[in-house]
Amino acid sequence: LERFHQEVQAAAQLDHPNIVAVYEVGDVGGEPFYTMRYVKGKSLSALLRDGPVPNRQAADYAVQVAQAISEAHRHGILHRDLKPQNILIDSRKDRPLVTDFGLAKRVEADSDLTRSGQILGTPSYMPPEQASGKIDAISEASDVYALGAILYCLLTGRPPFQADNQIDTLMQVLDQAPVSPRVLNPKIPKDLETVCLKCLE
């Protein structure tokens, strides 16, 4: 219930064309609810089932998501769970919208719903500090890492790290460098690869 309220409070603060808006918060018969904008389309994850998207489209999506996360950071909010499943593509405008602030954290908050040592998020898209459970080390740069992982997936059709199970994926995040995107897709422009890998640094 606390996480529910945390997500509502985080999302309700943000007014940006690339963030799914929260319209109403309430309680019906003891059941809390909130209503959000309906997005006609599908998730970025569903879109990527067909493989990587064209380079220009990948860059355009990444820029828009980065602008949305920059707005969250300006309000002192870290998303902490950026991944293709949490980005919806509005089919009417071909526009990505960030959603699911369930793991969001206010940068200046005194309390947290997590403890050091807990690993929250999705291994293929989380930075090393998050993968190792160092919750206090998570910062705006952690969301930038996740943006780089999303761009990597947009360009190559797969995340920078993936294994048969979550533990092995976490170990890859902690111990390995990602394969160069141009090894997986030689058509990626060098500058776009550089941006992607810089985010992952």
Side-chain angles (χ1 to χ4, degrees):
L1 186 58
E2 284 184 65
R3 283 215 175 105
F4 174 88
H5 286 298
Q6 178 171 286
E7 176 171 1
V8 172
Q9 290 168 3
Q13 286 184 52
L14 305 174
D15 181 15
H16 190 274
N18 296 103
I19 295 176
V20 179
V22 172
Y23 291 143
E24 184 182 11
V25 181
D27 184 282
V28 175
E31 294 292 331
F33 77 90
Y34 62 96
T35 58
M36 304 179 80
R37 177 185 160 198
Y38 173 70
V39 179
K40 183 176 176 61
K42 56 186 175 181
S43 72
L44 186 57
S45 176
L47 182 71
L48 287 167
R49 287 191 194 118
D50 296 329
V53 302
N55 294 325
R56 185 169 293 280
Q57 183 181 23
D60 185 50
Y61 283 174
V63 166
Q64 292 184 64
V65 173
Q67 290 169 340
I69 294 307
S70 177
E71 178 69 9
H73 290 173
R74 275 195 291 276
H75 283 80
I77 295 169
L78 305 178
H79 191 284
R80 301 199 301 178
D81 196 23
L82 284 173
K83 56 187 177 182
Q85 293 92 324
N86 289 342
I87 298 170
L88 305 178
I89 305 298
D90 184 339
S91 62
R92 292 172 297 184
K93 298 184 178 179
D94 193 29
R95 180 174 66 188
L97 294 104
V98 177
T99 189
D100 194 352
F101 283 80
L103 292 185
K105 180 186 178 199
R106 286 179 181 79
V107 176
E108 301 301 327
D110 293 326
S111 62
D112 196 356
L113 296 176
T114 59
R115 297 186 305 272
S116 183
Q118 283 187 306
I119 298 173
L120 295 174
T122 304
S124 290
Y125 297 93
M126 68 172 60
E129 63 273 18
Q130 196 167 345
S132 62
K134 296 176 181 173
I135 302 300
D136 292 339
I138 295 172
S139 68
E140 289 90 345
S142 305
D143 280 346
V144 172
Y145 176 98
L147 283 166
I150 291 167
L151 178 57
Y152 189 106
C153 192
L154 283 165
L155 295 169
T156 67
R158 51 154 283 189
F161 300 106
Q162 61 180 7
D164 292 336
N165 58 67
Q166 290 195 346
I167 297 297
D168 288 346
T169 302
L170 288 170
M171 296 311 296
Q172 287 181 3
V173 171
L174 293 171
D175 298 333
Q176 297 181 22
V179 173
S180 168
R182 282 163 54 90
V183 169
L184 301 173
N185 180 1
K187 295 180 180 178
I188 299 169
K190 181 66 177 168
D191 288 349
L192 195 52
E193 178 186 66
T194 300
V195 170
C196 179
L197 293 176
K198 185 66 175 174
C199 290
L200 292 172
E201 285 181 11

